Amino acid sequence: MYRFLTTPRWWGINVFVLLAIPFCVFMGTWQLGKFEDRVDTHQEAEQRPAASSLKAAPLATLLPVDKETSGRSAEARGRFGEQFLVPERDLDGRTGSYVLTLLKTDGGRSLPVVRGWLPTGAKAPAPPSGEVTVVGALQASENPGTKGAHAAGGLPEGQLGMISAAALVNVVTDDVYDAWITLTDSPAGLTPVPASAAAGTSLDVKAFQNLGYTAEWFVFAGFVLFMWFRLARREAEASRDEALGL
């Protein structure tokens, strides 16, 4: 009754099943490993001293920005130059803009400094003149996937879609740091912008997507096995009925 399993058609089905199940199990295990890596990274980040509690360090000693230095208090000295608004940024349930001013450092490069958040319609205060020292939380450059980032372009002059050297390279002539800081103490009229956690150190939606994909791959493996038994049983019943003349 089960001789049909040796036919060429069923050889193809059997090979597919023998390949599909291990592949699904492998992919599910891989996605589970990605989730566990994110959990471990999150736990390590929580066990480290709060970045804001550490003494401010010179900017150069904290670059490039990584999971260890993101959020660290950085110190830089220079003169403020061009200023931009970064629109459509939410803070405490309200929509406004970040006020970003370039700080021409003593080393010659410009550092993007978010001096604070400004409500929609309000006028940004002018930056102080002369030599200044700024202290703020170090942040990695934004990318098109960053929440609030506007990568499509088409913004009015004086506005930026995202905070990154790539976004500034076409609007300023200075050599810009591939990083930025958000001031700890904002001037009057502006609200300090809290630092964001380093990428990959929080249990965000992407982390739980990995867990969901894990379940999906194991479900796929079970579905393949179920369908093989279902097809084999149906074919066996058809063969038995044919042998009985039904």
Side-chain angles (χ1 to χ4, degrees):
M1 189 169 60
Y2 289 95
R3 281 180 297 178
F4 63 86
L5 292 173
T6 60
T7 61
R9 182 171 72 91
W10 271 92
W11 267 111
I13 294 175
N14 294 336
V15 170
F16 171 78
V17 170
L18 289 175
L19 293 176
I21 291 178
F23 176 76
C24 291
V25 172
F26 169 78
M27 291 300 297
T29 304
W30 180 73
Q31 289 288 353
L32 181 60
K34 295 284 287 184
F35 173 75
E36 290 175 342
D37 289 343
R38 287 179 177 270
V39 171
D40 292 340
T41 303
H42 175 66
Q43 291 176 343
E44 290 174 3
E46 285 190 329
Q47 291 170 0
R48 287 197 296 265
S52 57
S53 66
L54 301 175
K55 184 180 178 180
L59 175 67
T61 65
L62 300 176
L63 297 176
V65 185
D66 55 23
K67 293 178 182 179
E68 296 291 335
T69 61
S70 180
R72 281 285 306 274
S73 187
E75 183 180 76
R77 186 169 181 80
R79 294 175 178 269
F80 279 120
E82 294 182 76
Q83 184 162 279
F84 302 89
L85 293 181
V86 186
E88 299 179 12
R89 296 302 176 109
D90 296 335
L91 185 66
D92 297 332
R94 297 184 298 164
T95 301
S97 302
Y98 290 169
V99 178
L100 183 149
T101 312
L102 292 179
L103 180 76
K104 185 90 170 187
T105 64
D106 295 339
R109 299 176 70 186
S110 290
L111 173 68
V113 177
V114 172
R115 299 169 57 225
W117 177 88
L118 186 73
T120 301
K123 184 178 181 180
S129 58
E131 195 87 2
V132 296
T133 298
V134 297
V135 176
L138 184 65
Q139 301 281 264
S141 289
E142 295 183 338
N143 57 66
T146 302
K147 183 179 180 181
H150 188 282
L155 294 174
E157 186 178 355
Q159 294 188 9
L160 290 174
M162 59 183 180
I163 309 170
S164 71
L168 285 161
V169 69
N170 294 321
V171 294
V172 298
T173 57
D174 296 345
D175 185 17
V176 181
Y177 281 101
D178 188 21
W180 58 284
I181 67 171
T182 173
L183 291 186
T184 306
D185 298 314
S186 294
L190 299 178
T191 304
V193 175
S196 302
T201 60
S202 59
L203 291 179
D204 53 11
V205 174
K206 290 184 179 179
F208 290 100
Q209 281 180 341
N210 291 130
L211 192 60
Y213 294 149
T214 299
E216 286 183 0
W217 281 112
F218 286 126
V219 169
F220 290 156
F223 179 74
V224 169
L225 191 60
F226 168 77
M227 287 304 298
W228 185 89
F229 277 110
R230 180 71 180 253
L231 290 173
R233 181 179 177 183
R234 188 173 65 179
E235 188 115 357
E237 290 175 348
S239 298
R240 182 189 59 190
D241 291 345
E242 185 180 354
L244 295 174
L246 298 177

